Amino acid sequence: MPAPEGHPHQSYFAGERRGGSTVTDTPRESGYRPGYEVAAEQVLQLIVRLGLRPGDRMPTEIDLARQLGTSRTVVREAVKILSALGRVRAQKGRGLYVADDEGMFGTGRWASFFLPTDLDHVYMLFEFRRAQEMETSRLAARRATPAELRAIEEAASLCRHGFETGQEDLFNKGDDTFHTAIATAAHNMFLQVTVREARRLQAQSSIIGLRGSVGGHAAKAVEEHDAIYQAIRAGDPEAAAQAAATHIDNTLDDYRREIQQRLFSSQ
């Protein structure tokens, strides 16, 4: 995969603040970007800027609203998103905290540094996932049991069905199950954990700002899943690894195209 060149150190979306202070709905490629989505992104940036670590207490919703120049209602919705993503933990009567789910090897610490709208971070994550998915597929081709092969095949079929019927949630569920099933078939608990963590971080980029939809790379993705599965089923480690690399490379290309469209559409 060629190294990313010329990617700017900026959000996917230009002009996310108006007048330098107020969080409002921002123009997107179609329609407007919800204010709570922008606020969620800015809360993550604030965590990094303040040097907060997992377990640290965050400013209150009132303080966040004042710092972001928005309403408490918008901040509350942003916090709900970040809580669902595992980035913020709300304790009733105590306030907001940076989530402290360490995970194996302290992989949860990645989340305290990862900004889902920082292009450098996203590209580095793809580089990591490429190496990770190649080795996971390679090992699965050597070690998968018949039951594990069925699980991989069923996940690929679920993903295809979600695409063909236009059910985005079903497509995403199948996609996630497919990659975790391969990690399981690799019989390496460390790879299982890192695959889950890396996919969790990538999901943040998709949910905050760069929302995916059934379409685009999805059509190719279902075919790429099948190529990975067939190589694993055939017991061909190198073919499986190459099919996985192609899948990640094409997914990255899709991200790049989407990023360019959004950057140009905001000018």
Side-chain angles (χ1 to χ4, degrees), residues 145-209:
T145 66
E148 289 163 348
L149 285 173
R150 284 195 298 275
I152 297 170
E153 181 182 24
E154 289 170 1
S157 296
L158 180 64
C159 194
R160 179 182 291 275
H161 180 64
F163 167 68
E164 292 175 344
T165 58
Q167 299 181 70
E168 183 176 350
D169 288 346
L170 200 61
F171 173 87
N172 290 335
K173 179 180 179 181
D175 183 48
D176 192 57
T177 303
F178 177 78
H179 288 279
T180 54
I182 292 175
T184 298
H187 292 268
N188 185 309
M189 62 181 179
F190 303 109
L191 281 172
Q192 289 179 41
V193 171
T194 56
V195 164
R196 183 175 65 247
E197 289 289 335
R199 287 185 62 78
R200 183 168 67 87
L201 293 180
Q202 186 168 320
Q204 294 178 11
S205 289
S206 296
I207 293 172
I208 300 180

Side-chain angles (χ1 to χ4, degrees), residues 12-16 18 24-38 41 81 117 205-213 258 261-267:
Y12 291 147
F13 309 96
E16 63 194 17
R18 294 177 183 169
T24 59
D25 286 352
T26 302
R28 305 179 68 159
E29 185 177 1
S30 60
Y32 285 83
R33 189 178 181 205
Y36 61 81
E37 188 180 288
V38 178
E41 174 186 329
I81 293 176
T117 53
S205 289
S206 296
I207 293 172
I208 300 180
L210 192 62
R211 290 184 176 178
S213 62
E258 182 68 14
Q261 288 175 6
R262 292 188 183 274
L263 287 175
F264 285 130
S265 67
S266 64
Q267 293 176 352

Side-chain angles (χ1 to χ4, degrees), residues 32-210:
Y32 285 83
R33 189 178 181 205
Y36 61 81
E37 188 180 288
V38 178
E41 174 186 329
Q42 293 181 338
V43 169
L44 292 180
Q45 293 171 342
L46 181 65
I47 289 172
V48 173
R49 190 164 67 249
L50 295 177
L52 299 179
R53 304 297 298 273
D56 286 350
R57 188 168 185 169
M58 295 171 52
T60 65
E61 287 185 356
I62 294 176
D63 289 336
L64 287 172
R66 184 171 59 252
Q67 291 187 51
L68 300 183
T70 188
S71 70
R72 189 174 178 182
T73 299
V74 169
V75 168
R76 187 175 295 117
E77 291 303 311
V79 167
K80 287 180 181 178
I81 293 176
L82 296 174
S83 294
L85 292 172
R87 298 296 297 270
V88 170
R89 178 165 46 86
Q91 292 189 6
K92 191 172 183 178
R94 296 187 60 190
L96 303 175
Y97 294 80
V98 179
D100 58 0
D101 178 17
E102 292 288 329
M104 189 178 291
F105 289 145
T107 47
R109 289 188 181 275
W110 295 350
S112 64
F113 301 106
F114 179 73
L115 285 175
T117 53
D118 185 306
L119 298 185
D120 279 334
H121 290 195
V122 173
Y123 289 140
M124 284 189 286
L125 180 60
F126 269 105
E127 287 179 350
F128 174 72
R129 283 200 62 210
R130 188 181 197 272
Q132 177 191 64
E133 297 279 358
M134 287 182 69
E135 186 59 22
T136 302
S137 298
R138 187 180 284 118
L139 291 175
R142 296 189 181 112
R143 301 172 177 175
T145 66
E148 289 163 348
L149 285 173
R150 284 195 298 275
I152 297 170
E153 181 182 24
E154 289 170 1
S157 296
L158 180 64
C159 194
R160 179 182 291 275
H161 180 64
F163 167 68
E164 292 175 344
T165 58
Q167 299 181 70
E168 183 176 350
D169 288 346
L170 200 61
F171 173 87
N172 290 335
K173 179 180 179 181
D175 183 48
D176 192 57
T177 303
F178 177 78
H179 288 279
T180 54
I182 292 175
T184 298
H187 292 268
N188 185 309
M189 62 181 179
F190 303 109
L191 281 172
Q192 289 179 41
V193 171
T194 56
V195 164
R196 183 175 65 247
E197 289 289 335
R199 287 185 62 78
R200 183 168 67 87
L201 293 180
Q202 186 168 320
Q204 294 178 11
S205 289
S206 296
I207 293 172
I208 300 180
L210 192 62

